[in-house]
Amino acid sequence: MDNTVGKAIRQIKKEGIKTSYFLLGDDAFLQNIFIKYLKNRDSSVTNIKYLDLSDNRDCEFFFNEIDNISLFNSKNIFAIRNSEKISNKNKEHLLKCIKNKNDDNILVFTIDDYILRNKFLKEVYNFSVKINTNTPFFPSKIKDWAKYYMNENDIVLDDSLLNYLINSYGDNIANVINEIEKIFLITNKSKIKFSDYESNYKNRNLKYWNLMNALGIKNIKETLKVFDSLQSNGTSIIPIITNLTTFYSALMYSINNEISNIFRLNNTIKSRLSSYNAKYTFEEISNIILALRNIDIIAKSSNLNDNLLFYPFALKICKGY
């Protein structure tokens, strides 16, 4: 069973650093926090070297480095991607290095996926310390990491604001941290209230998925607010209609208990499809998809104001179709 990042860090404090780690999962924040922890924990580490072994120069550099013995009692951390792309000869050499547990370097293999499909990577995985770097399922765990980041950077957010960011951007921790960083830079404050966020930042950063969520819960006030924000930031109605068609098509599949993974949706929206289901019937969604098609045709063939097309459509959805 894979360790969480927190468990792996506690294990290192107790048992020391191992020579090879395998990070399985696509949360960039968890990947980076673990790699940086390794460097800070071992005073003999001089550099973190991020390498893509599908690049010939990176590959050549890497194997030259691991074959050379350091004369200065120093070591490097190699954060490695795409090791499955190397030649068979180099694969044998790399596995030998991992099995021999050479203390001159620390190898950290990273793959942005939930499962392993490649035979060679499975071998590397089996001989390494396994760490799960997928985004935690529970918002409370995401909140713990966000608080960790804020403590490290002397940033304080209202709890209500932090909860809002996690609910809005919690498809991965990196997104939440990115939003915290942007709010910090825009407001130029280390102690940030929800009112600071709303007045200085919020409306600049609304996305298609915010509109999907507002319609999903049938909140007309929020729907029109997000739509107006998208319009004021230069988004035309055509891509809005395209994204909403994808959303309601996925919702239709979800109502029928069919797999909706064929649709490209924000992970937060995917996780909420079942809650949106309670507010819609199959017939209602069919009518909405038909209405979206009609709006698309009218928008492309006339000069009718976008608000005149969207507002009645949104009102029918939120107030009863």
Side-chain angles (χ1 to χ4, degrees), residues 1-93:
M1 183 176 180
D2 295 1
N3 296 313
T4 63
V5 171
K7 184 177 179 181
I9 287 173
R10 292 191 294 272
Q11 192 175 61
I12 288 170
K13 289 178 180 178
K14 184 178 179 180
E15 302 174 6
I17 295 176
K18 307 299 181 182
T19 57
S20 178
Y21 294 89
F22 200 111
L23 310 186
L24 184 64
D26 63 352
D27 198 299
F29 174 79
L30 291 178
Q31 294 170 359
N32 292 334
I33 208 76
F34 179 74
I35 293 170
K36 289 177 181 177
Y37 175 79
L38 290 176
K39 183 179 188 302
N40 294 334
R41 184 72 182 179
D42 191 336
S43 59
S44 65
V45 172
T46 55
N47 291 297
I48 302 172
K49 298 185 178 181
Y50 295 89
L51 300 176
D52 181 348
L53 297 192
S54 65
D55 183 289
N56 291 332
R57 288 171 298 182
D58 278 6
C59 187
E60 183 178 356
F61 170 81
F62 171 68
F63 283 102
N64 284 337
E65 286 288 305
I66 63 174
D67 285 339
N68 291 328
I69 299 174
S70 173
L71 301 177
F72 304 101
N73 195 32
S74 64
K75 66 175 70 171
N76 293 309
I77 295 173
F78 292 103
I80 302 165
R81 292 182 179 274
N82 293 320
S83 56
E84 74 277 13
K85 302 289 181 66
I86 61 179
S87 68
N88 289 334
K89 180 180 178 181
N90 281 335
K91 286 177 181 177
E92 292 177 10
H93 184 23

Side-chain angles (χ1 to χ4, degrees), residues 89-257:
K89 180 180 178 181
N90 281 335
K91 286 177 181 177
E92 292 177 10
H93 184 23
L94 181 54
L95 283 174
K96 184 178 179 181
C97 291
I98 296 170
K99 293 174 184 178
N100 288 341
K101 303 183 185 300
N102 188 330
D103 291 331
D104 287 340
N105 297 294
I106 302 169
L107 307 182
V108 182
F109 299 90
T110 304
I111 178 170
D112 297 333
D113 207 340
Y114 299 94
I115 58 175
L116 283 174
R117 299 176 176 85
N118 181 272
K119 181 180 177 181
F120 173 71
L121 287 179
K122 288 179 181 178
E123 288 189 77
V124 174
Y125 176 82
N126 288 332
F127 287 103
S128 304
V129 178
K130 306 164 186 64
I131 302 176
N132 183 338
T133 51
N134 288 308
T135 303
F137 181 77
F138 297 105
S140 60
K141 296 296 183 182
I142 298 175
K143 190 173 186 178
D144 287 344
W145 281 113
K147 286 183 174 180
Y148 172 85
Y149 168 83
M150 291 191 295
N151 289 336
E152 291 290 305
N153 293 275
D154 296 320
I155 299 173
V156 179
L157 265 65
D158 276 357
D159 199 57
S160 58
L161 175 53
L162 181 55
N163 288 336
Y164 175 84
L165 294 179
I166 291 168
N167 288 333
S168 300
Y169 302 98
D171 47 329
N172 65 63
I173 300 173
N175 282 351
V176 175
I177 300 303
N178 187 48
E179 293 305 311
I180 293 172
E181 289 176 342
K182 287 193 286 187
I183 295 169
F184 173 70
L185 291 171
I186 290 171
T187 61
N188 198 28
K189 294 181 178 181
S190 58
K191 295 184 178 180
I192 305 166
K193 300 178 180 178
F194 207 112
S195 56
D196 297 321
Y197 171 71
E198 290 190 309
S199 61
N200 290 285
Y201 178 77
K202 184 177 179 181
N203 287 335
R204 303 183 190 190
N205 209 49
L206 294 174
K207 306 293 185 185
Y208 294 124
W209 73 263
N210 294 109
L211 184 61
M212 294 175 189
N213 182 65
L215 284 169
I217 61 176
K218 295 191 175 182
N219 184 325
I220 187 60
K221 183 178 178 180
E222 184 68 14
T223 295
L224 298 183
K225 178 183 177 182
V226 177
F227 178 79
D228 289 344
S229 175
L230 291 171
Q231 290 269 287
S232 66
N233 284 299
T235 304
S236 75
I237 197 170
I238 302 299
I240 291 174
I241 295 305
T242 300
N243 278 273
L244 290 180
T245 301
T246 299
F247 169 64
Y248 280 107
S249 297
L251 192 58
M252 178 180 284
Y253 269 64
S254 180
I255 281 181
N256 286 334
N257 293 317

